[in-house]
Amino acid sequence: MRRHVRNNFTAHSFMASRLSRSSSKCLPHLITDHQELCSFLNSFKSSFDFRFVIETHATIIKHGYGTYPSIVASLISAYKNCDKLSLAYRLLDQVFCWDFDLVTFNMIIENFMKLGEYGIAKRVFSKMQAQDVVSWNSMIGGYIRNARFEEAIKFFQKMLSSNVEPDKFTFASIITGCARFGDFYHGLWVHNLMIEKRTELNFILSSALIDMYSKCGRIQAAKEVFDRVHRDDVSVWNAMISGLAIHGLAIDAIAIFAKMEVENVLPDSITFIGLLTACTHCGMVEEGCKYFDYMTSQYSILPQLEHYGAMVDLLGRAGHVEEAYSIITTMTIEPDVVVWRTILSACRTYRKPELGEVAIGNISRLKGGDYVLLSNMYCSLERWDSAQRVREIMQKKGVRKSQGKSWLELAGVIHQFKADDMSHPEITSINKVLGGLIQLTKLEGFLPATELVLMDVSEEEKEGNLYHHSEKLALAFGILKTSPVTEIRISKNLRICPDCHSWIKMISRLLSRVIIVRDRIRFHRFQGGLCSCGDYW
């Protein structure tokens, strides 16, 4: 089959065959391994060099790699990224003329999903003569890895109406998607479906369920699952400890770890990341340092980058910024950009501009959030010239801050909002509710935190910017659509800002509502004017 397909490929290799002789001149002649050729092709996501794609295509034919699933996917993706869609689809159409079996097509789908080409993967799936459970799993899991949760749910629903029965891998993928998106409605539906189908829980499914309930804000339900399942695998314990950590329940997380030791389940490196995260969210510096030492002294687990990062975060959040920096300077591993961003955030909070500039100097590719942190730090110190200089650099480089997004789920429908979003079909009613809430909090003496808003606008404009943050829009919609006794649950892609945090605290007291916000790092449960984080996040 391989020889037949290769000849077929060569016969239909538009343009590539014409350049087979010149390819060795333009490509390093030692690239003969198919994995290296794959890596070379994948580099065209940012370079868009069509000539090199053609020449790489020719080299692939020359070495007989034209039917390798990873090569096929990378080639089609490279043509697409060079804005040569017609060539990409011509090559894709040829794939269906080859004598590929179901296993090979499944591998092609998997490779497209790894490249982020979910649209092309769907095209392959729809043109296949038959699909098995692996085909469906590749699509569903791929959509989830690419943060296309709604498509994953739709594919799962189609799978249920087909003649293919979901297996444990299917359920594990879809539950993971519900966890990442904070979609309790579908998460509960999937769990009930598993019960209905009498799906036996292995450690992967048990861990996924605990993680899903935790990330959907139902920590009690996560505990109930944990108490019922077999706990002989460390991943089940890790899921429970991590779930408690993001809810700010450090004491409970530590208690689970103690129980783990009693039941003779050996912790791993992930266990200690969960413990350190739990201590970080509660400011338990002494306990966190103890577990960091305990990891090495009692279990001979060498600290990895994530552990050092957690320690930097633990110390930095607690105001021990110099100690956090000393962790970085004594690490046995090269600190990555996440570690430097962590110390930069602490420098902004505790007004350490000199150290903040050191952090900035060690971040090779600055993102919008990095500049904003540095600019905000200068603003808080009233160093307006320095703040303006940072913003001028941002403008010159065309750098923009990541846009805040918030969403909430009502009756199985996800409603998403962006800052200053006017696209929601009920935006007029939402703004009316939001305006009423703003007036109510103003009468109660609420003062917006305008000091961290761009300083080249008026005070009134600064307040306007703050009042239309995505979580405020989502909250107004939740209040509009739910009864006064219903908990409102909002998810957000970034950390909640200090202004929104203070404002939602006041709203929870004035309206006697329970409001739960899951931001990028943890849960905030607002009730009676207080937050479960104790204003420490």
Side-chain angles (χ1 to χ4, degrees), residues 38 41-42 45 60 65-81 88 91-92 95 98 100 104-105 107-117 120-121 124:
C38 247
L41 280 168
N42 294 341
K45 282 203 167 203
I60 287 165
Y65 296 137
T67 59
Y68 282 48
S70 58
I71 287 281
V72 171
S74 295
L75 259 175
I76 294 170
S77 178
Y79 279 127
K80 174 177 172 285
N81 289 321
L91 178 55
L92 184 61
V95 170
W98 302 341
F100 278 164
T104 305
F105 274 117
M107 291 172 67
I108 290 173
I109 289 174
E110 184 70 21
N111 277 283
F112 275 128
M113 285 300 192
K114 286 179 181 177
L115 294 168
E117 301 289 1
I120 302 179
V124 173

Side-chain angles (χ1 to χ4, degrees), residues 120-272:
I120 302 179
K122 183 180 179 181
R123 194 180 179 107
V124 173
F125 180 89
S126 62
K127 293 185 74 171
M128 288 166 60
Q129 291 185 350
Q131 300 95 5
D132 62 4
V133 67
V134 178
S135 313
W136 289 93
N137 288 350
S138 296
M139 289 299 300
I140 292 167
Y143 274 130
I144 289 167
R145 284 196 303 273
N146 285 283
R148 311 290 295 187
F149 176 69
E150 292 180 56
E151 285 94 331
I153 284 288
K154 288 175 184 176
F155 247 83
F156 180 63
Q157 291 168 335
K158 286 180 184 177
M159 183 182 188
L160 293 175
S161 62
S162 72
N163 294 323
V164 180
E165 192 72 15
D167 61 11
K168 292 180 181 180
F169 292 103
T170 320
F171 284 122
S173 288
I174 207 71
I175 291 168
T176 299
C178 293
R180 289 182 184 174
F181 208 66
D183 187 346
F184 174 69
Y185 177 89
H186 283 110
L188 183 61
W189 167 63
V190 173
H191 190 187
N192 288 333
L193 191 63
M194 289 167 58
I195 294 170
E196 179 187 317
K197 292 180 176 293
R198 298 185 178 181
T199 304
E200 184 181 356
L201 293 182
N202 56 18
F203 70 89
I204 296 173
L205 286 172
S206 298
S207 304
L209 283 170
I210 293 167
D211 185 54
M212 183 272 291
Y213 281 118
S214 299
K215 288 180 178 172
C216 288
R218 268 68 174 189
I219 194 64
Q220 188 56 43
K223 290 179 180 178
E224 289 170 7
V225 172
F226 177 78
D227 289 336
R228 289 198 307 266
V229 300
H230 293 293
R231 301 192 296 266
D232 51 351
D233 191 274
V234 66
S235 63
V236 178
W237 296 86
N238 290 347
M240 193 70 254
I241 290 172
S242 296
L244 292 165
I246 62 173
H247 282 268
L249 300 171
I251 301 300
D252 291 2
I254 290 170
I256 291 291
F257 179 69
K259 189 174 182 179
M260 183 180 185
E261 291 186 304
V262 169
E263 295 191 19
N264 295 316
V265 178
L266 283 176
D268 61 11
S269 62
I270 298 172
T271 313
F272 286 97

Side-chain angles (χ1 to χ4, degrees), residues 401-405 418-420 493-494:
K401 182 185 176 185
S402 299
Q403 188 170 21
K405 299 177 186 177
K418 298 176 184 176
D420 295 314
N493 66 326
L494 304 175

